[in-house]
Amino acid sequence: MTELRPDLKAIAGLVPEGASVLDIGCGEGELLAWLAAHKNADARGIEIETDKVNRAIAAGVPVIQGDIETD
Protein backbone atom coordinates (compact mmCIF):
# COMPACT_ATOMS: atom_id res chain seq x y z
CA MET A 1 0.00 0.00 0.00
CA THR A 2 1.38 3.39 -0.94
CA GLU A 3 1.74 6.20 1.55
CA LEU A 4 -1.25 8.46 1.99
CA ARG A 5 -1.36 11.93 0.45
CA PRO A 6 -0.74 14.67 3.05
CA ASP A 7 -4.42 15.67 3.20
CA LEU A 8 -5.57 12.09 3.76
CA LYS A 9 -2.80 11.55 6.32
CA ALA A 10 -4.12 14.55 8.29
CA ILE A 11 -7.65 13.12 8.24
CA ALA A 12 -6.40 9.66 9.23
CA GLY A 13 -4.71 11.19 12.26
CA LEU A 14 -8.10 12.34 13.55
CA VAL A 15 -9.73 8.90 13.34
CA PRO A 16 -9.57 6.84 16.55
CA GLU A 17 -8.71 3.14 16.60
CA GLY A 18 -11.74 0.96 15.79
CA ALA A 19 -13.89 3.85 14.55
CA SER A 20 -16.79 3.52 12.13
CA VAL A 21 -16.15 5.72 9.10
CA LEU A 22 -18.37 6.71 6.18
CA ASP A 23 -16.38 8.54 3.50
CA ILE A 24 -18.67 10.51 1.21
CA GLY A 25 -16.96 11.10 -2.11
CA CYS A 26 -14.34 8.49 -1.30
CA GLY A 27 -12.76 8.31 -4.75
CA GLU A 28 -10.92 5.01 -5.15
CA GLY A 29 -11.03 4.37 -1.39
CA GLU A 30 -7.39 5.00 -0.50
CA LEU A 31 -8.23 6.50 2.89
CA LEU A 32 -10.75 3.80 3.68
CA ALA A 33 -8.29 1.02 2.87
CA TRP A 34 -5.63 2.65 5.03
CA LEU A 35 -8.00 3.13 7.97
CA ALA A 36 -9.16 -0.47 7.79
CA ALA A 37 -5.59 -1.77 7.66
CA HIS A 38 -3.94 0.54 10.20
CA LYS A 39 -6.70 1.62 12.57
CA ASN A 40 -8.99 -1.43 12.48
CA ALA A 41 -11.77 0.90 11.31
CA ASP A 42 -15.13 -0.23 9.95
CA ALA A 43 -14.60 1.91 6.85
CA ARG A 44 -17.15 2.26 4.04
CA GLY A 45 -17.68 4.76 1.27
CA ILE A 46 -19.95 6.21 -1.38
CA GLU A 47 -18.70 7.62 -4.67
CA ILE A 48 -20.57 9.03 -7.67
CA GLU A 49 -18.04 8.04 -10.38
CA THR A 50 -18.48 4.44 -11.49
CA ASP A 51 -14.85 3.93 -12.58
CA LYS A 52 -13.58 4.97 -9.14
CA VAL A 53 -16.13 2.70 -7.44
CA ASN A 54 -15.00 -0.22 -9.59
CA ARG A 55 -11.34 0.38 -8.69
CA ALA A 56 -12.18 0.60 -4.98
CA ILE A 57 -14.20 -2.62 -5.10
CA ALA A 58 -11.41 -4.36 -7.04
CA ALA A 59 -9.06 -3.37 -4.21
CA GLY A 60 -11.45 -4.87 -1.64
CA VAL A 61 -12.78 -1.58 -0.29
CA PRO A 62 -16.52 -1.56 0.55
CA VAL A 63 -17.80 1.28 -1.63
CA ILE A 64 -21.16 1.82 -3.28
CA GLN A 65 -21.95 3.97 -6.30
CA GLY A 66 -24.39 6.77 -5.63
CA ASP A 67 -25.13 10.47 -5.48
CA ILE A 68 -25.59 11.69 -1.90
CA GLU A 69 -27.92 14.40 -3.14
CA THR A 70 -30.43 11.88 -4.53
CA ASP A 71 -29.62 8.39 -3.15
Side-chain angles (χ1 to χ4, degrees):
M1 184 178 297
T2 60
E3 187 164 330
L4 288 175
R5 298 184 329 236
D7 58 331
L8 297 181
K9 188 180 255 188
I11 294 166
L14 300 173
V15 178
E17 180 76 23
S20 293
V21 176
L22 173 60
D23 186 351
I24 299 170
C26 65
E28 295 178 17
E30 302 95 331
L31 177 61
L32 295 171
W34 192 94
L35 291 172
H38 294 91
K39 294 233 178 163
N40 195 32
D42 178 10
R44 301 161 190 270
I46 184 169
E47 171 59 46
I48 198 168
E49 295 185 35
T50 304
D51 59 328
K52 291 180 180 180
V53 172
N54 290 338
R55 286 193 287 275
I57 291 171
V61 181
V63 173
I64 62 168
Q65 193 280 326
D67 181 345
I68 64 163
E69 298 292 329
T70 59
D71 293 331

